[in-house]
PDB file of all heavy atoms in Angstrom:
ATOM      1  N   LEU J 477     131.889  -1.526  95.706  1.00  0.00           N
ATOM      2  CA  LEU J 477     133.090  -2.106  95.090  1.00  0.00           C
ATOM      3  C   LEU J 477     134.190  -2.330  96.134  1.00  0.00           C
ATOM      4  O   LEU J 477     135.298  -2.732  95.799  1.00  0.00           O
ATOM      5  CB  LEU J 477     133.620  -1.180  93.979  1.00  0.00           C
ATOM      6  CG  LEU J 477     132.702  -0.944  92.776  1.00  0.00           C
ATOM      7  CD1 LEU J 477     133.344   0.043  91.815  1.00  0.00           C
ATOM      8  CD2 LEU J 477     132.411  -2.261  92.074  1.00  0.00           C
ATOM      9  N   GLY J 478     133.884  -2.015  97.391  1.00  0.00           N
ATOM     10  CA  GLY J 478     134.853  -2.224  98.455  1.00  0.00           C
ATOM     11  C   GLY J 478     135.831  -1.067  98.616  1.00  0.00           C
ATOM     12  O   GLY J 478     136.881  -1.199  99.253  1.00  0.00           O
ATOM     13  N   LEU J 479     135.502   0.086  98.051  1.00  0.00           N
ATOM     14  CA  LEU J 479     136.371   1.267  98.178  1.00  0.00           C
ATOM     15  C   LEU J 479     135.702   2.278  99.095  1.00  0.00           C
ATOM     16  O   LEU J 479     134.494   2.222  99.314  1.00  0.00           O
ATOM     17  CB  LEU J 479     136.597   1.886  96.790  1.00  0.00           C
ATOM     18  CG  LEU J 479     137.268   0.963  95.776  1.00  0.00           C
ATOM     19  CD1 LEU J 479     137.122   1.522  94.373  1.00  0.00           C
ATOM     20  CD2 LEU J 479     138.731   0.764  96.133  1.00  0.00           C
ATOM     21  N   SER J 480     136.481   3.203  99.609  1.00  0.00           N
ATOM     22  CA  SER J 480     135.864   4.216 100.461  1.00  0.00           C
ATOM     23  C   SER J 480     135.807   5.554  99.724  1.00  0.00           C
ATOM     24  O   SER J 480     136.675   5.858  98.904  1.00  0.00           O
ATOM     25  CB  SER J 480     136.636   4.356 101.773  1.00  0.00           C
ATOM     26  OG  SER J 480     137.833   5.056 101.546  1.00  0.00           O
ATOM     27  N   VAL J 481     134.765   6.322 100.019  1.00  0.00           N
ATOM     28  CA  VAL J 481     134.584   7.615  99.364  1.00  0.00           C
ATOM     29  C   VAL J 481     135.009   8.702 100.344  1.00  0.00           C
ATOM     30  O   VAL J 481     134.454   8.807 101.440  1.00  0.00           O
ATOM     31  CB  VAL J 481     133.111   7.807  98.945  1.00  0.00           C
ATOM     32  CG1 VAL J 481     132.885   9.217  98.402  1.00  0.00           C
ATOM     33  CG2 VAL J 481     132.730   6.759  97.906  1.00  0.00           C
ATOM     34  N   CYS J 482     136.005   9.498  99.978  1.00  0.00           N
ATOM     35  CA  CYS J 482     136.523  10.504 100.911  1.00  0.00           C
ATOM     36  C   CYS J 482     135.753  11.807 100.817  1.00  0.00           C
ATOM     37  O   CYS J 482     136.018  12.746 101.557  1.00  0.00           O
ATOM     38  CB  CYS J 482     138.010  10.731 100.687  1.00  0.00           C
ATOM     39  SG  CYS J 482     138.408  11.408  99.077  1.00  0.00           S
ATOM     40  N   GLY J 483     134.797  11.885  99.905  1.00  0.00           N
ATOM     41  CA  GLY J 483     133.978  13.086  99.835  1.00  0.00           C
ATOM     42  C   GLY J 483     133.246  13.181  98.511  1.00  0.00           C
ATOM     43  O   GLY J 483     133.627  12.531  97.542  1.00  0.00           O
ATOM     44  N   VAL J 484     132.143  13.950  98.516  1.00  0.00           N
ATOM     45  CA  VAL J 484     131.438  14.249  97.278  1.00  0.00           C
ATOM     46  C   VAL J 484     131.513  15.770  97.104  1.00  0.00           C
ATOM     47  O   VAL J 484     130.839  16.515  97.812  1.00  0.00           O
ATOM     48  CB  VAL J 484     129.968  13.784  97.320  1.00  0.00           C
ATOM     49  CG1 VAL J 484     129.272  14.119  95.998  1.00  0.00           C
ATOM     50  CG2 VAL J 484     129.878  12.287  97.591  1.00  0.00           C
ATOM     51  N   ALA J 485     132.364  16.228  96.203  1.00  0.00           N
ATOM     52  CA  ALA J 485     132.526  17.668  95.976  1.00  0.00           C
ATOM     53  C   ALA J 485     131.495  18.136  94.968  1.00  0.00           C
ATOM     54  O   ALA J 485     131.259  17.466  93.966  1.00  0.00           O
ATOM     55  CB  ALA J 485     133.935  17.951  95.468  1.00  0.00           C
ATOM     56  N   MET J 486     130.895  19.301  95.242  1.00  0.00           N
ATOM     57  CA  MET J 486     129.848  19.775  94.345  1.00  0.00           C
ATOM     58  C   MET J 486     130.330  20.855  93.378  1.00  0.00           C
ATOM     59  O   MET J 486     129.581  21.271  92.492  1.00  0.00           O
ATOM     60  CB  MET J 486     128.643  20.254  95.151  1.00  0.00           C
ATOM     61  CG  MET J 486     127.972  19.088  95.881  1.00  0.00           C
ATOM     62  SD  MET J 486     126.533  19.568  96.856  1.00  0.00           S
ATOM     63  CE  MET J 486     125.204  19.103  95.776  1.00  0.00           C
ATOM     64  N   ASP J 487     131.580  21.319  93.539  1.00  0.00           N
ATOM     65  CA  ASP J 487     132.126  22.240  92.549  1.00  0.00           C
ATOM     66  C   ASP J 487     133.639  22.016  92.424  1.00  0.00           C
ATOM     67  O   ASP J 487     134.232  21.244  93.185  1.00  0.00           O
ATOM     68  CB  ASP J 487     131.796  23.704  92.876  1.00  0.00           C
ATOM     69  CG  ASP J 487     132.330  24.113  94.244  1.00  0.00           C
ATOM     70  OD1 ASP J 487     133.471  23.721  94.582  1.00  0.00           O
ATOM     71  OD2 ASP J 487     131.603  24.818  94.971  1.00  0.00           O
ATOM     72  N   ALA J 488     134.240  22.702  91.455  1.00  0.00           N
ATOM     73  CA  ALA J 488     135.649  22.467  91.133  1.00  0.00           C
ATOM     74  C   ALA J 488     136.559  22.832  92.302  1.00  0.00           C
ATOM     75  O   ALA J 488     137.528  22.115  92.594  1.00  0.00           O
ATOM     76  CB  ALA J 488     136.034  23.263  89.884  1.00  0.00           C
TER      77      ALA J 488
END
Side-chain angles (χ1 to χ4, degrees):
Chain J
L477 297 177
L479 300 165
S480 75
V481 174
C482 64
V484 180
M486 294 180 100
D487 59 41

